[in-house]
Amino acid sequence: MESHFLRKPTSKRLHAITFQFNVDDGIITREFARTCISTCNHLRYLNLENGNFEELPSSICNLKQLRLLFLGYNKRLKKLPDSICELQSLLYLYLNGCLELGDLPKKMKRLISLRELSLTTKRMSLQESGIQYLENLEFLGICNCQNLRVIFEGACRLTCLRKLEIVDCVGPISLPFVELIALESLVLNNCKFKLTQDNKSKFPLNLRTLSIKNSEQVVELLQCLNESAYSLEFFAVYDCPSFTAIPVWLPNHIRLRVIRLIQCPNLSSIPQEFQSLIALKELRIEYCGELSERCRPTIGKDWPNIAHIPRIELDLEWVQWMED
């Protein structure tokens, strides 16, 4: 593979290396990564997903113009070199699916340009990595971290963080809401959380998107929003049998445009207060027991509460579709 393009004189001018197909195990080795780094000094985009090496070469710091670095789904990657923190032009770093990744650099706060970070790690805490000081970070994705208990705590400078996703983390994880003043989107999928009175009271006040999936704590999580500003525009609950009633405060979020209720078999009814959601454009109800029947056009008991919504889907069938 190296002889195909990396040994050509023009390789020094390459700005991007990626693959248009899923590579097999063993193709992207540490030697291949080292050759990419040493030969192509002007890289801005480097995709080493599905790699087969335990540690990224420390020479990665020589790629001063690198903007995007994909290292995801490397089943052997155990450590990142400290030198990666010298990539001050790096905007996107993806480490999701690296199930063996343990050690994280302790000076990640030096990645001053970083906008998006997605990771999987074996660590119990991200506190020592310093990600809570990434002042320009806009997206943080945490996936399949089976040992994680603390994301960070105490002082935090994530004042630009707009989207937080926590997926497939068995926990319980302490939610880091302190000073997340810019957070607009929160996605919580298949996780268990440690909910204290402190982090409940500091739940983000300006959320526009909230999505909860497969959580036994869905009711408790939603109670955290009771005192928040009424800013929601997208609200979704998936695979939550313990979700039995629409929160009484939800109709107060008059900016709501989309509501999705999927596989919540014990959800009993749609309250009359839904009629006040005049901005609501789409309602989807799928596999929620008898709720679909209660929402059937003209004949359903709850139909008067939702008839004003332009687009309504019941069990994968659009029963109402009106243009805005």
Side-chain angles (χ1 to χ4, degrees), residues 51-108:
N52 188 43
F53 49 86
E54 294 186 1
E55 184 175 352
L56 187 69
S58 60
S59 55
I60 188 71
C61 64
N62 294 328
L63 300 181
K64 301 298 184 182
Q65 301 179 49
L66 195 64
R67 305 289 193 274
L68 298 95
L69 179 57
F70 293 82
L71 298 171
Y73 306 103
N74 184 326
K75 298 177 182 178
R76 296 182 59 203
L77 186 64
K78 295 182 178 180
K79 183 179 180 181
L80 294 177
D82 292 338
S83 60
I84 198 173
C85 300
E86 298 178 27
L87 298 176
Q88 296 192 358
S89 295
L90 194 66
L91 299 175
Y92 305 94
L93 176 59
Y94 296 100
L95 301 162
N96 44 306
C98 298
L99 299 177
E100 295 299 317
L101 182 60
D103 294 335
L104 295 173
K106 294 183 179 181
K107 296 183 179 180
M108 292 188 71

Side-chain angles (χ1 to χ4, degrees), residues 55-291:
E55 184 175 352
L56 187 69
S58 60
S59 55
I60 188 71
C61 64
N62 294 328
L63 300 181
K64 301 298 184 182
Q65 301 179 49
L66 195 64
R67 305 289 193 274
L68 298 95
L69 179 57
F70 293 82
L71 298 171
Y73 306 103
N74 184 326
K75 298 177 182 178
R76 296 182 59 203
L77 186 64
K78 295 182 178 180
K79 183 179 180 181
L80 294 177
D82 292 338
S83 60
I84 198 173
C85 300
E86 298 178 27
L87 298 176
Q88 296 192 358
S89 295
L90 194 66
L91 299 175
Y92 305 94
L93 176 59
Y94 296 100
L95 301 162
N96 44 306
C98 298
L99 299 177
E100 295 299 317
L101 182 60
D103 294 335
L104 295 173
K106 294 183 179 181
K107 296 183 179 180
M108 292 188 71
K109 65 180 180 181
R110 296 176 62 182
L111 296 170
I112 57 175
S113 299
L114 201 64
R115 299 292 189 274
E116 294 192 8
L117 173 62
S118 179
L119 61 85
T120 301
T121 178
K122 296 172 66 175
R123 296 191 64 84
M124 294 185 65
S125 171
L126 303 181
Q127 182 77 14
E128 293 184 358
S129 68
I131 65 170
Q132 66 271 31
Y133 300 116
L134 293 171
E135 296 182 356
N136 291 307
L137 195 68
E138 297 176 358
F139 169 81
L140 175 59
I142 299 170
C143 177
N144 207 4
C145 299
Q146 301 304 310
N147 300 322
L148 190 63
R149 297 296 182 270
V150 177
I151 299 178
F152 50 79
E153 54 191 0
C156 169
R157 297 178 187 170
L158 295 174
T159 53
C160 289
L161 190 69
R162 289 179 170 80
K163 187 171 184 178
L164 174 62
E165 292 187 1
I166 307 176
V167 178
D168 294 331
C169 299
V170 296
I173 300 173
S174 178
L175 290 172
F177 290 144
V178 179
E179 299 182 40
L180 298 185
I181 58 176
L183 195 66
E184 296 178 350
S185 176
L186 180 61
V187 176
L188 307 173
N189 289 358
N190 193 28
C191 301
K192 187 175 181 180
F193 300 100
K194 181 180 179 181
L195 296 172
T196 65
Q197 192 58 43
D198 185 54
N199 60 30
K200 284 182 182 180
S201 64
K202 294 175 180 176
F203 210 78
L205 295 179
N206 298 306
L207 280 183
R208 294 185 180 182
T209 295
L210 177 63
S211 176
I212 300 175
K213 182 176 181 180
N214 191 20
S215 173
E216 296 178 357
Q217 299 169 288
V218 59
V219 175
E220 194 173 4
L221 285 166
L222 292 176
Q223 287 175 347
C224 299
L225 272 169
N226 191 28
E227 301 298 329
S228 70
Y230 299 129
S231 55
L232 278 181
E233 297 177 6
F234 179 98
F235 175 80
V237 178
Y238 305 84
D239 302 324
C240 292
S242 60
F243 185 48
T244 59
I246 301 292
V248 294
W249 48 259
L250 188 64
N252 295 327
H253 286 259
I254 58 175
R255 298 180 185 176
L256 267 169
R257 298 179 63 84
V258 176
I259 294 178
R260 294 177 181 172
L261 307 170
I262 314 295
Q263 291 187 325
C264 300
N266 297 312
L267 189 58
S268 56
S269 63
I270 300 294
Q272 184 178 357
E273 288 76 11
F274 258 50
Q275 296 180 31
S276 65
L277 294 175
I278 57 176
L280 192 58
K281 302 300 182 184
E282 180 182 307
L283 172 64
R284 292 189 180 188
I285 299 173
E286 298 176 13
Y287 310 115
C288 291
E290 297 180 0
L291 184 60

Side-chain angles (χ1 to χ4, degrees), residues 15-26:
H15 283 180
I17 295 178
T18 187
F19 299 89
Q20 299 301 317
F21 53 88
N22 292 327
V23 298
D24 296 327
D25 288 345

